[in-house]
Amino acid sequence: MLGRDIGIDLGTANVLVHVRGKGIVLNEPSVVAIDTTTKKVLAVGKEAFRMVGRTPGNIVAVRPLKDGVIADFDTTESMLKHFLSKVKVKSLFVKPRILICCPTNITSVEQKAIREAAEKSGGKNVYLEEEPKVAAVGAGMDIYQPSGNMVVDIGGGTTDVAVLSMGDIVTASSIKVAGDRFDSEILNYIKKEYKLLIGDRTAEDIKLNVGTAFEGARDAEMDIRGRDMVSGLPRTITVNSDEVRGALEESVYHIVHAAKNVLEQTPPELSADIIDRGVILTGGGAYLHGIDQLLAEELKVPVFVAEEPMDCVANGTGILLENLDRVQKQKIKV
Ligand code: ADP
Ligand code: MG
């Protein structure tokens, strides 16, 4: 029999759908391609992602959740419906429960609208949960004990830092500095330093292949092509790890400071637990080379990258839905 629980990681860069008993069944970029003249949705997810930066004038590829808030609700709703119809929620599941993990900064009106979109797509009971909590659970932390657990989730649009104890968030902070900002800092650096224009995808490639957050930790270089700002013609240059580290420094330190602030506001008993257990990094930004080393040095606590950091939230929804079962059963017994 198919599971009747569905978890959704509605991320700023990627949407993942987890089905109980099956694991992650969908993993696509949170991008929607829209025809600006007819306002019609032309493509969603992977297909729309291929159009980014390559669309003719009347088509735009948008990321509706880009900054961790819902900029365009109708588009978010179409995206959610499209993904839910792709996993055949209506036909395969009998009244599924849906747990949606969405950005921490959305308003109650937006929460209500997300819930309604999921209900229209076939969800029976729809629950919303805060991202850092789900990420921590998905990273294997036992957040239900009376002890401190700290998670830093670095996504595309936002970084969420939280200390959790007894199943709840004790202190937290969310900033709009994450993977996208790293890319734009690299793009701006190449523009300023080499008078060369590159696209977002090239900037991201540089981050992945030569970027690092920690001085002296990586020594790589890469040839990149772009458009010369003076001649207007294509040109190739070589970039190395150290200059990319320099370009990323300011934004990486925003994350360090957010984490420090959260630690400073954490009750001392819980801080002591964090010194013992360390901080866990989740989200795609956890893959940034050297970010764990830098945070460990700055925070003076051990720092670990979660296993499969980009899957933590989706896997966490699965675990939380199972716990929900346990809680409901206990309630029935009493
Ligand atoms: P969100 O939860 O906001 O959708 P994700 O957790 O999916 O975000 O992470 C997306 C971000 O992770 C992107 O900015 C992407 O560039 C970044 N990322 C993915 N892989 C790597 C890597 N190997 N090194 C650095 N950044 C990475
Ligand atoms: Mg995320």
Side-chain angles (χ1 to χ4, degrees):
M1 195 192 118
L2 279 172
R4 52 187 187 96
D5 285 339
I6 296 172
I8 303 170
D9 169 8
L10 199 57
T12 68
N14 298 292
V15 175
L16 282 77
V17 178
H18 181 282
V19 171
R20 187 162 169 188
K22 288 179 123 185
I24 294 166
V25 295
L26 182 142
N27 183 351
E28 297 201 27
S30 0
V31 182
V32 181
I34 300 168
D35 183 327
T36 50
T37 39
T38 62
K39 303 269 181 291
K40 261 186 77 175
V41 171
L42 300 176
V44 181
K46 282 181 188 149
E47 205 187 323
F49 182 73
R50 283 200 294 272
M51 300 180 181
V52 174
R54 295 200 171 90
T55 52
N58 63 323
I59 300 172
V60 287
V62 295
R63 284 175 50 197
L65 301 156
K66 197 167 194 293
D67 296 316
V69 290
I70 299 180
D72 174 349
F73 196 78
D74 290 341
T75 313
T76 307
E77 195 182 76
S78 338
M79 184 172 81
L80 189 59
K81 282 187 183 156
H82 172 88
F83 287 140
L84 285 172
S85 72
K86 231 179 150 175
V87 298
K88 301 194 176 61
V89 169
K90 274 192 180 162
S91 55
L92 286 181
F93 301 92
V94 196
K95 295 174 182 168
R97 294 188 302 190
I98 302 186
L99 176 70
I100 305 182
C101 186
C102 45
T104 35
N105 298 329
I106 65 169
T107 64
S108 55
V109 175
E110 289 172 330
Q111 286 184 10
K112 191 164 166 264
I114 288 189
R115 206 179 293 245
E116 278 170 11
E119 278 163 3
K120 275 189 226 155
S121 307
K124 173 75 167 83
N125 294 307
V126 180
Y127 308 86
L128 297 186
E129 191 54 272
E130 288 163 307
E131 183 158 16
K133 181 170 165 184
V134 188
V137 170
M141 290 179 149
D142 183 359
I143 62 163
Y144 296 96
Q145 300 300 318
S147 62
N149 293 281
M150 180 159 167
V151 63
V152 178
D153 180 274
I154 309 173
T158 57
T159 294
D160 286 279
V161 184
V163 170
L164 301 119
S165 175
M166 296 185 76
D168 264 314
I169 292 176
V170 182
T171 44
S173 161
S174 178
I175 58 169
K176 286 180 186 161
V177 176
D180 293 337
R181 176 73 80 87
F182 299 157
D183 299 348
S184 64
E185 292 293 357
I186 292 172
L187 191 145
N188 289 333
Y189 167 79
I190 303 287
K191 202 154 121 187
K192 239 177 90 191
E193 190 66 23
Y194 297 100
K195 305 285 174 284
L196 193 76
L197 289 177
I198 58 169
D200 293 340
R201 302 278 286 277
T202 305
E204 190 185 20
D205 278 348
I206 297 173
K207 173 177 74 178
L208 270 55
N209 296 314
V210 296
T212 183
F214 198 71
E215 195 160 3
R218 195 174 197 182
D219 186 14
E221 51 178 44
M222 173 184 182
D223 288 343
I224 53 155
R225 278 189 294 269
R227 194 177 80 215
D228 189 285
M229 286 166 74
V230 183
S231 70
L233 299 172
R235 182 158 65 95
T236 304
I237 58 153
T238 307
V239 289
N240 66 48
S241 294
D242 197 51
E243 57 185 324
V244 178
R245 187 201 54 77
L248 296 178
E249 189 164 21
E250 196 183 319
S251 35
V252 162
Y253 269 87
H254 278 300
I255 295 176
V256 168
H257 290 138
K260 273 190 183 166
N261 283 341
V262 166
L263 268 178
E264 279 162 16
Q265 290 161 27
T266 300
E269 297 292 349
L270 298 182
S271 311
D273 297 335
I274 294 163
I275 294 171
D276 290 340
R277 297 160 173 236
V279 173
I280 301 268
L281 305 184
T282 62
Y287 279 126
L288 178 68
H289 191 276
I291 186 81
D292 48 343
Q293 268 171 288
L294 182 74
L295 282 166
E297 185 179 272
E298 291 284 341
L299 303 178
K300 315 245 179 309
V301 294
V303 175
F304 307 99
V305 176
E307 231 174 89
E308 305 293 341
M310 293 177 89
D311 295 348
C312 287
V313 172
N315 289 331
T317 60
I319 299 169
L320 285 176
L321 280 162
E322 274 172 34
N323 286 347
L324 204 67
D325 249 5
R326 221 173 295 149
V327 174
Q328 283 178 346
K329 271 188 199 134
Q330 274 165 4
K331 272 190 192 152
I332 294 164
K333 267 189 223 152
V334 173

